[in-house]
Amino acid sequence: TSTRDKMSDTMLSMRSSVYLGETEFLVKCFIRCIVDPTIINMGTAVNALCEDIIQERFKKDNLFTHEPAWQHYMGLNGTPDLLRITATFLTERLGKGVEISPGNLRTTNGASAGLEALAFILSDPEDVILIPTPTYGRFFADMNERFKTKIVGFHLEENEKSKFCLTADLLEKKITQEKNSGRAVKAFMYCNPHNPLGVIYPKDLTISLMEVCKKHEVHFISDEIYGLSVFDPSSSFDSVLSIPRDELPDPERTHFMWGLSKDFGLAGFRLGFIHSYNRSLVQCLDGMSIFVSSSVHIQQVAAKLLSDKSWLDNIYFPTNLERLEKTFQLVNSRLSSLSVPVMRTQAGLFCWADFSLYLGTKDEAGEMELFEELMETAKVYIVPGSQFDCKIPGWFRIIFAVRSDVLDDGLDRIESVLKAKNICNT
């Protein structure tokens, strides 16, 4: 750092230092991929499998229009038509008939903004939000960087079925441990379908976790950003929205999150949703809406997409799920041939793969060494599990929902690195 940079730093607030130090890992790698287009990005969770279908739909029926009212302050917490249409959409797609009221629904400019908003509303600085790990790394940053909520991970257990198992007992043990240490646990973060494992948690587990949260007066946040990307034909997903209010253990502390970035591959829209039965929480979202609002024009486009039932039922969702399953099977086959076990993936845009056979040392250093070799030598980016707070060395998350040419090239590059180690049984 130059003397001039150091002088500039002293002109800013103490809290600004969070953005002046080391860039958060996922953001740093994403920027690397933008700066160096020769890197194959299979680390950033985007869905590019239906770009052709989305583009074709955008060209039809005057999807992009304009009304004079839209160019002014409007729909800061969601335009009435978008909230109404999204409520109907969620009732049909995730609620399984449980009616979702527009009055309990609000928009944010993406799920990350929603996470930060919930952290602000539900916790004070240094209060704790618990999250099972391994988990999406940005959860820690999104709720901590500006509002200083303390995000505390607790590692999933190994049993006869899986190396990564979540139970109600595990959650209660962690809540009790934090309380005994004098910390205030305000919320539990539930990612279902899970990122990065790609598994779906069953309804009975969801209810049992909710019961623990109720017992300890802890808010239950269900992040269901991959809720409509369940591609395994033998699997079904039960959203918290499908549980009637009177069957929820603690409805006032149960909150739901979803958005367009993953299930529709529309991260550029910056449009997320929060559902809550808690009127005070909704009032807080309204009060801070100017800070988390989305473009009215984008909201109008989203409303038209979400209300186009024929396109959703006959074109988009069937094609998206078919392509997700086909692509996962291809990746699973390629990795299996390289003696890289893959967890059974039911949903999402990624798979969770065990590269431990190829680690020079069976620790985090060995894992990061393999990551650097892939990133720097082969020019392919996949996320090492340690960056998702995984304590078992060798696991990586691979995004497979990329264009077919990108996927083939990326897998070829991974294979070249692994085969050079002369360990592969091929």
Side-chain angles (χ1 to χ4, degrees):
T1 305
S2 68
T3 301
R4 179 175 293 180
D5 287 339
K6 290 180 179 178
M7 290 177 61
S8 296
D9 293 353
T10 62
M11 300 178 187
L12 308 180
S13 67
M14 291 288 289
R15 62 188 174 192
S16 70
S17 63
V18 69
Y19 297 114
L20 297 174
E22 181 73 16
T23 304
E24 189 271 330
F25 183 85
L26 296 181
V27 173
K28 178 171 62 177
C29 292
F30 174 67
I31 293 172
R32 277 284 309 277
C33 292
I34 293 176
V35 173
D36 183 357
T38 67
I39 298 174
I40 296 293
N41 186 349
M42 296 171 68
T44 303
V46 299
N47 184 355
L49 293 180
C50 288
E51 288 178 338
D52 56 334
I53 292 175
I54 294 290
Q55 185 172 20
E56 182 181 355
R57 179 63 185 87
F58 281 2
K59 292 178 179 179
K60 291 182 178 179
D61 304 329
N62 295 318
L63 199 65
F64 291 88
T65 56
H66 173 72
E67 296 291 342
W70 300 352
Q71 70 191 61
H72 305 296
Y73 295 113
M74 177 184 177
L76 297 177
N77 55 7
T79 60
D81 57 338
L82 176 62
L83 295 180
R84 173 180 53 80
I85 287 168
T86 304
T88 300
F89 173 87
L90 292 174
T91 297
E92 295 174 352
R93 308 286 166 176
L94 291 177
K96 296 184 178 180
V98 175
E99 186 173 354
I100 307 305
S101 167
N104 297 327
L105 203 59
R106 293 294 185 267
T107 61
T108 59
N109 56 326
S112 290
L115 286 168
E116 189 183 63
L118 287 179
F120 176 83
I121 295 168
L122 300 179
S123 64
D124 291 307
E126 300 307 313
D127 283 347
V128 169
I129 293 180
L130 295 177
I131 187 163
T133 60
T135 192
Y136 169 58
R138 283 293 308 179
F139 280 138
F140 294 91
D142 289 345
M143 295 185 280
N144 171 265
E145 283 182 347
R146 295 201 296 176
F147 295 137
K148 303 308 175 187
T149 299
K150 189 175 180 63
I151 312 304
V152 176
F154 61 100
H155 208 273
L156 297 174
E157 294 180 319
E158 181 175 356
N159 62 18
E160 66 280 359
K161 294 182 179 179
S162 172
K163 291 182 181 294
F164 306 97
C165 186
L166 176 61
T167 66
D169 287 343
L170 187 64
L171 172 61
E172 182 152 38
K173 180 180 178 181
K174 187 60 181 177
I175 292 175
T176 303
Q177 179 184 337
E178 290 297 309
K179 285 186 171 182
N180 290 342
S181 298
R183 290 183 282 271
V185 179
K186 293 300 181 71
F188 166 65
M189 192 78 203
Y190 188 53
C191 185
N192 191 27
H194 192 275
N195 176 9
L197 304 185
V199 300
I200 297 170
Y201 290 127
K203 181 178 179 180
D204 59 346
L205 174 61
T206 301
I207 294 292
S208 65
L209 293 166
M210 287 179 169
E211 293 285 3
V212 172
C213 288
K214 177 184 180 181
K215 176 181 176 181
H216 294 275
E217 298 184 344
V218 169
H219 289 266
F220 186 98
I221 304 170
S222 187
D223 179 349
E224 302 183 16
I225 198 73
Y226 297 100
L228 297 175
S229 295
V230 179
F231 60 80
D232 178 15
S234 64
S235 300
S236 62
F237 171 61
D238 292 305
S239 166
V240 298
L241 294 182
S242 69
I243 305 172
R245 176 173 180 164
D246 59 4
E247 294 180 19
L248 289 170
D250 194 351
E252 291 285 315
R253 289 190 178 92
T254 302
H255 319 294
F256 159 92
M257 300 185 68
W258 180 75
L260 302 185
S261 60
K262 312 303 181 184
D263 288 337
F264 283 91
L266 293 171
F269 269 37
R270 308 313 305 137
L271 187 57
F273 298 89
I274 295 175
H275 175 276
S276 179
Y277 293 114
N278 189 310
R279 300 315 305 162
S280 295
L281 186 145
V282 173
Q283 183 178 346
C284 288
L285 289 172
D286 289 342
M288 64 197 306
S289 61
I290 197 166
F291 302 111
V292 295
S293 60
S294 297
S295 159
V296 179
H297 290 79
I298 288 297
Q299 292 188 56
Q300 298 305 314
V301 174
K304 292 177 182 177
L305 285 179
L306 296 180
S307 62
D308 190 348
K309 199 169 186 300
S310 176
W311 178 74
L312 294 171
D313 288 340
N314 300 314
I315 298 176
Y316 181 73
F317 281 128
T319 306
N320 186 48
L321 298 180
E322 178 185 355
R323 290 179 181 180
L324 283 170
E325 183 189 9
K326 180 180 178 181
T327 309
F328 166 69
Q329 295 298 346
L330 185 148
V331 173
N332 187 36
S333 176
R334 286 285 298 272
L335 292 176
S336 295
S337 72
L338 296 166
S339 300
V340 176
V342 177
M343 276 193 67
R344 181 195 171 205
T345 304
Q346 300 167 285
L349 317 177
F350 38 75
C351 61
W352 187 236
D354 181 5
F355 286 77
S356 58
L357 180 64
Y358 296 93
L359 300 187
T361 57
K362 307 300 184 182
D363 53 19
E364 182 177 340
E367 179 181 284
M368 292 307 295
E369 183 180 348
L370 178 58
F371 164 76
E372 293 292 344
E373 189 173 357
L374 290 166
M375 187 76 151
E376 303 300 332
T377 304
K379 298 280 188 174
V380 58
Y381 164 44
I382 59 177
V383 182
S386 56
Q387 297 301 320
F388 289 155
D389 211 26
C390 181
K391 305 305 182 186
I392 306 174
W395 289 88
F396 283 74
R397 188 191 72 175
I398 300 177
I399 304 299
F400 57 74
V402 295
R403 295 196 326 265
S404 59
D405 58 322
V406 174
L407 182 68
D408 291 340
D409 193 0
L411 291 175
D412 287 345
R413 296 184 189 196
I414 292 172
E415 182 173 335
S416 68
V417 170
L418 301 187
K419 283 190 170 182
K421 295 180 179 294
N422 295 316
I423 300 174
C424 181
N425 301 316
T426 58

